[in-house]
Amino acid sequence: MSLRSLLVWIALAVAPATACAEDLNSMSQDPKQWVMPQRDYANTRFSPLDQINASNVGQLQVAWMFSVGTRRGQEAAPLVIGDTMYIISSYPNKVFALDPTNGDLKWTYIPNQNPSAQGVACCDVVTRGLAYDDGKIFFVTLDNHVVALDASTGKELWVAQTGDINLGETTTAAPFVVKGKVFVGISGGELGVRGRITAVDEKTGKIAYIAYGTGPDKDVLIGPDFKPPYDFMKGKDLGVQSWPADTWKIGGSSMWGWFSYDPQLDLLYYGTGNPGPWNSAQRPGDNLWASTLFARKPETGAAQWAYQFNPHDLWDHDEIQENVLVDLDFGQGPQKVLIHPGRNGYMYVIDRASGHVISADPYDTVNSYKGVDLKTGRIIPNEDLKPEIGRTVRDVCPASPGAKDWQPSAWSPRTKLLYVPHQHLCMNFKPSEVGYVAGTPFVGATVDMFAGPGNYRGEFMAWDPVQRKKVWQIHENMPVWSAALVTGGDVAFYATMDRWFRAVDAKNGTKLWQFHLGSGSIGQPVTYQGADGAQYVAIMTGVGGWPGVVANAQVDPRVRNAALGFAGAMQDLPSYTQGGGTLVVFRLPKQSGNATGGTP
Amino acid sequence: MKPHLAAGLTVLLAWPVASVAQGQMGAPAEPSVAGSASGRDQPPVMPGGDNPSSATANPILHVPVSGLRPGAIAPKVDLKNPLEGDKDAVSRGMRDFIQFNCVGCHAANGGGGMGPSLSDARYIYGSSPANIFLTIYQGRPKGMPAWGETLPERTIWELVAYVKNLQEKTSAFGKTISRKPLEPSREMVPSEYLQTPSPWNFTEPFSSGMKPNAK
């Protein structure tokens, strides 16, 4: 064998690179790897690994750490592909490739983005992660540049621009790859952007299509295949007709959350953000397609169905949350559904082929709505709390960030429970008229949030979607702003803003282990198996996000209305933590000694 | 979208706030300290002759942003807000602060959010009136928009007057953060209950994330 063919052979043997999205789907089933932030297309965040289990998780120790060098909020998930781990920092979005077993740094990529982007990011300068396919790492900078890197070398392959900071646009969602296309969101629902998703060809960086969240049907990619499940979404150009003249052009309906994909139905799912501005008096109408779940064909973007959770949203209730694809048995055999823990406080179970709501039950304190009418599909607002310009509506629950914001839940096929990190907040809300000035906020509301009934601010809970009830819950002092992870060892992991990384028994919520991190965490815990055969658990620390800017930026906790009102609920966060981005990786002790040190 | 060229603003909707903003644009752009080149309808006249950066003719150019002075030479000028003594300037500044969406980033009462707080004692780019004027006029690279081509100088000075009113006056060098004893111990009365250009005159016990003391 010549040297050249030997090298080719080695490359083929070790390279995780594969040719199409179908392979990404099978890669995502490999317990050793973690190939997308959601772990799999279904967004389960479930790893079959069981080396760490309920009986030994109490022995977890730090294996290694790595500083990403930025002090703002770290919301990204590490990816593990083959023998490399990839992580991305908050702005300026540095990307690092590391050895997953010992933390050795392989390469670093630093994008040269416009620092002014920081001034139009509504809620900290976060990113929610990376994507991988076919030997390439994809990410999107805060200033809206989609970048493709060679996964083995970190070399820049192509760059595409998908937004404009002078229109108030930034990007914080993790990209998502399906069938050779990189799906990219846009943030700026607080700055009057026109929301959309952009599909970018993964080989060339060319924009394949854009699917808008407002506007005429041709822009929203609504065509003859579109079959909405309820009458109120039937009609021509509702993305124009359900708004006052021209306001759909600055109507938000962004996308900064999670995509999921069903390969059998060939449907891409995601939800859109709030309509803008928050002052609802300036936009009478249903404001389609804001706060709406879309099912689209990934090749063309053609919408197959849609479901608007919050027609004429009153409270900034985006619905960009994860849609977890599971098959549930309600007594008549498995049914293809998705579970959507709504920002509005309702846990939705939806037929993922048709968009019909099967059930919608409150999972936190809700007084802003009075339920979901399953005949019409419409949520019922509480008229007693109707906002009016200049009047302070008191004690609205859930608050603007909802019962749950971006922080994704996890699904265990073993327990058949959904593990949901979320917040427990109410607010005072005073709307006001606001003029649109491109590139500046377009909100029109004074908000003041605070702990919900019981004086706690967060919860980690397990939900049974068949029984439609909470099975167990753990109240937390602070909003639980991290993602959840659940494993084949029946351990569920989450982290808190007041610096705890916790492991609990997935069956009953018993606390099994905790570790005091360097900074509060709003990260996404992941688990993988290293080349040494050991199971590792990794999480980013670095407090931040919308609730965390009071601790990681110059925000005054004595001014309750700061940070779009979230400062009110987080006033004491700086007494627990400061910002600071570090990846922390845990494992069980090695048989012959401890894992913390290692032989020099 | 209807670009309002005179204002340099893209004002899409004729909301009352925006209309007021447009009405102001025609107002004479005085008083001014940045030379007389402030009129928007005539070509600028450079009092420094051929040298537009003449510091002699443009005293505001003497205002440092840095705290370091090579040779330990003190700045030549201490520029005052030309609206000093105008009792209504602060209230007009509060109205401007809301109309031009300063409030969207810096929050009601200047608590901060997308942009830094204005209610704390220290400002990143200096807290003299001229520092604040220049920060608004020129913008700053990490996210502060440059408003100089959008707002009349008079409006900017009104904003300066209001922002100075938001700034905490304290004799302490630093601050302590603690749960026991509770520090900080006071918070502003939230603006959904009280809108005032002088929010530090109205405080109440710190509520640590719990419900505010309803009025």
Side-chain angles (χ1 to χ4, degrees):
Chain A
M1 189 181 281
S2 71
L3 180 62
R4 185 183 165 81
S5 62
L6 177 70
L7 288 174
V8 169
W9 183 85
I10 289 170
L12 287 173
V14 302
T18 45
C20 67
E22 199 56 36
D23 292 323
L24 186 62
N25 190 32
S26 50
M27 278 175 76
S28 74
Q29 305 304 314
D30 175 4
K32 294 179 181 172
Q33 308 189 74
W34 193 282
V35 301
M36 60 184 89
Q38 305 90 326
R39 183 168 186 274
D40 48 39
Y41 278 150
N43 282 231
T44 66
R45 296 177 188 269
F46 169 81
S47 165
L49 293 179
D50 59 3
Q51 200 179 100
I52 297 167
N53 55 47
S55 63
N56 64 17
V57 68
Q59 301 169 50
L60 274 190
Q61 292 181 342
V62 173
W64 55 271
M65 299 193 285
F66 180 79
S67 168
V68 296
T70 68
R71 73 184 163 92
R72 301 295 295 270
Q74 312 293 342
E75 284 187 355
L79 302 187
V80 177
I81 292 129
D83 60 357
T84 305
M85 172 189 280
Y86 303 90
I87 56 168
I88 180 168
S89 75
S90 60
Y91 174 90
N93 306 126
K94 300 179 186 181
V95 182
F96 304 96
L98 301 153
D99 184 310
T101 60
N102 60 24
D104 277 352
L105 181 60
K106 297 183 176 187
W107 54 256
T108 302
Y109 175 85
I110 303 174
N112 183 13
Q113 57 173 317
N114 190 335
S116 296
Q118 297 171 93
V120 283
C122 81
C123 311
D124 203 2
V125 293
V126 299
T127 177
R128 305 196 169 84
L130 305 157
Y132 169 86
D133 193 34
D134 195 20
K136 300 183 190 74
I137 290 287
F138 306 97
F139 70 101
V140 194
T141 60
L142 189 69
D143 74 349
N144 312 296
H145 289 81
V146 190
V147 182
L149 302 176
D150 182 315
S152 56
T153 63
K155 284 225 178 333
E156 186 177 298
L157 300 173
W158 54 256
V159 178
Q161 192 172 349
T162 51
D164 178 359
I165 61 169
N166 268 303
L167 294 176
E169 294 171 347
T170 54
T171 308
T172 57
F176 187 71
V177 184
V178 175
K179 292 189 160 180
K181 289 186 172 63
V182 183
F183 290 89
V184 173
I186 199 83
S187 305
E190 283 58 59
L191 291 101
V193 308
R194 187 180 173 203
R196 58 192 181 271
I197 63 164
T198 304
V200 181
D201 182 280
E202 75 165 20
K203 288 195 164 42
T204 63
K206 288 210 168 68
I207 291 174
Y209 61 82
I210 296 172
Y212 284 94
T214 66
D217 287 352
K218 67 176 172 48
D219 292 2
V220 186
L221 306 187
I222 285 176
D225 297 341
F226 185 62
K227 292 185 176 54
Y230 299 100
D231 286 347
F232 76 92
M233 290 174 291
K234 290 176 183 164
K236 188 170 163 49
D237 293 334
L238 295 181
V240 172
Q241 302 303 325
S242 62
W243 297 81
D246 285 346
T247 55
W248 55 270
K249 293 175 182 169
I250 51 170
S253 317
S254 59
M255 161 48 188
W256 47 277
W258 299 109
F259 294 97
S260 46
Y261 174 62
D262 182 331
Q264 276 76 48
L265 295 174
D266 190 31
L267 288 177
L268 176 77
Y269 303 93
Y270 69 93
T272 62
N274 61 289
W278 290 14
N279 172 26
S280 51
Q282 282 176 233
R283 46 175 174 77
D286 277 354
N287 311 136
L288 291 156
W289 303 87
S291 297
T292 298
L293 171 59
F294 274 106
R296 297 183 184 274
K297 289 289 180 189
E299 267 115 341
T300 59
Q304 304 300 295
W305 57 262
Y307 173 68
Q308 190 182 34
F309 294 99
N310 306 319
H312 189 62
D313 164 54
L314 304 176
W315 313 112
D316 181 38
H317 285 166
D318 304 59
E319 293 295 348
I320 57 74
Q321 290 71 24
E322 70 282 6
N323 299 291
V324 185
L325 313 186
V326 297
D327 293 350
L328 294 183
D329 190 342
F330 298 97
Q332 291 153 346
Q335 191 174 347
K336 285 178 187 297
V337 305
L338 63 81
I339 311 175
H340 176 93
R343 180 140 153 175
N344 58 23
Y346 288 85
M347 183 70 69
Y348 289 84
V349 177
I350 292 174
D351 181 324
R352 72 174 184 264
S354 72
H356 284 95
V357 178
I358 295 165
S359 62
D361 303 288
Y363 62 94
D364 197 63
T365 306
V366 176
N367 67 10
S368 47
Y369 309 99
K370 295 197 154 180
V372 178
D373 183 335
L374 296 185
K375 283 204 184 68
T376 63
R378 290 179 76 95
I379 199 164
I380 305 157
N382 179 354
E383 295 295 331
D384 295 340
L385 296 177
K386 196 175 164 59
E388 286 169 32
I389 287 177
R391 183 172 80 93
T392 299
V393 192
R394 297 184 190 185
D395 299 312
V396 180
C397 317
S400 287
K404 196 174 85 60
D405 196 87
W406 81 283
Q407 63 272 50
S409 45
W411 167 261
S412 169
R414 293 169 55 87
T415 61
K416 306 231 183 294
L417 297 176
L418 189 73
Y419 299 90
V420 187
H422 69 106
Q423 60 270 14
H424 175 68
L425 302 172
C426 303
M427 67 175 170
N428 295 337
F429 188 96
K430 184 183 183 185
S432 53
E433 285 192 341
V434 58
Y436 174 75
V437 182
T440 73
F442 188 50
V443 174
T446 301
V447 179
D448 182 355
M449 303 181 209
F450 42 86
N455 289 348
Y456 61 96
R457 289 169 277 186
E459 180 176 272
F460 187 69
M461 64 92 167
W463 181 270
D464 183 332
V466 174
Q467 299 297 320
R468 299 163 57 183
K469 64 175 191 193
K470 214 177 270 188
V471 178
W472 52 258
Q473 67 277 313
I474 299 166
H475 290 172
E476 289 284 354
N477 181 22
M478 296 287 173
V480 184
W481 213 256
S482 83
L485 162 70
V486 65
T487 71
D490 290 334
V491 182
F493 293 88
Y494 70 100
T496 71
M497 298 185 73
D498 52 0
R499 294 172 42 215
W500 290 108
F501 187 33
R502 298 199 206 279
V504 302
D505 189 316
K507 293 183 186 129
N508 53 33
T510 304
K511 289 185 193 172
L512 301 171
W513 171 83
Q514 61 183 5
F515 183 84
H516 223 171
L517 298 162
S519 173
S521 175
I522 55 166
Q524 301 173 50
V526 307
T527 188
Y528 58 93
Q529 185 175 315
D532 56 357
Q535 181 184 353
Y536 291 83
V537 177
I539 187 160
M540 288 291 297
T541 69
V543 84
W546 186 9
V549 290
V550 74
N552 76 9
Q554 191 179 326
V555 175
D556 191 341
R558 300 168 299 178
V559 186
R560 300 191 59 107
N561 309 106
L564 296 166
F566 219 143
M570 306 304 298
Q571 290 177 294
D572 54 341
L573 184 65
S575 76
Y576 292 90
T577 184
Q578 290 284 300
T582 299
L583 176 74
V584 189
V585 182
F586 299 88
R587 55 163 289 169
L588 293 171
K590 289 176 184 167
Q591 297 295 358
S592 56
N594 78 63
T596 310
T599 313
Chain B
M1 296 193 190
K2 190 185 85 171
H4 192 280
L5 295 175
L9 273 177
T10 304
V11 179
L12 183 81
L13 302 167
W15 299 108
V17 284
S19 318
V20 174
Q22 289 169 26
Q24 284 192 340
M25 294 306 168
E30 55 168 5
S32 166
V33 293
S36 61
S38 54
R40 296 193 185 284
D41 299 332
Q42 299 93 30
V45 178
M46 295 298 172
D50 292 337
N51 180 2
S53 68
S54 165
T56 310
N58 300 281
I60 205 160
L61 289 178
H62 286 279
V63 175
V65 178
S66 170
L68 295 176
R69 285 134 201 182
I73 297 168
K76 287 200 181 74
V77 292
D78 178 22
L79 289 177
K80 292 195 169 20
N81 187 336
L83 299 179
E84 206 173 277
D86 179 345
K87 283 190 298 233
D88 296 331
V90 170
S91 298
R92 292 201 305 273
M94 183 170 79
R95 192 192 57 189
D96 300 333
F97 190 80
I98 295 164
Q99 282 170 3
F100 297 108
N101 290 336
C102 310
V103 68
C105 293
H106 294 286
N109 293 340
M114 294 170 65
S117 66
L118 306 171
S119 53
D120 282 300
R122 182 175 283 276
Y123 287 11
I124 300 167
Y125 299 106
S127 59
S128 76
N131 283 145
I132 300 169
F133 178 91
L134 287 171
T135 296
I136 299 170
Y137 194 98
Q138 300 174 323
R140 292 293 176 248
K142 292 180 183 176
M144 175 71 190
W147 290 93
E149 302 304 319
T150 306
L151 300 179
E153 289 183 19
R154 186 187 185 90
T155 302
I156 298 179
W157 282 119
E158 288 169 357
L159 286 166
V160 171
Y162 173 63
V163 166
K164 285 298 291 180
N165 231 39
L166 296 176
Q167 187 182 20
E168 182 187 20
K169 288 12 171 222
T170 174
S171 56
F173 179 67
K175 61 181 155 195
T176 302
I177 298 167
S178 153
R179 292 194 294 282
K180 279 183 187 173
L182 188 63
E183 288 290 347
S185 60
R186 308 286 296 172
E187 67 189 36
M188 288 181 187
V189 174
S191 73
E192 74 268 24
Y193 291 131
L194 177 70
Q195 195 170 29
T196 165
S198 303
W200 279 124
N201 293 349
F202 304 91
T203 66
E204 55 192 20
F206 194 69
S207 32
S208 297
M210 299 297 132
K211 197 172 165 177
N213 305 302
K215 292 288 165 302

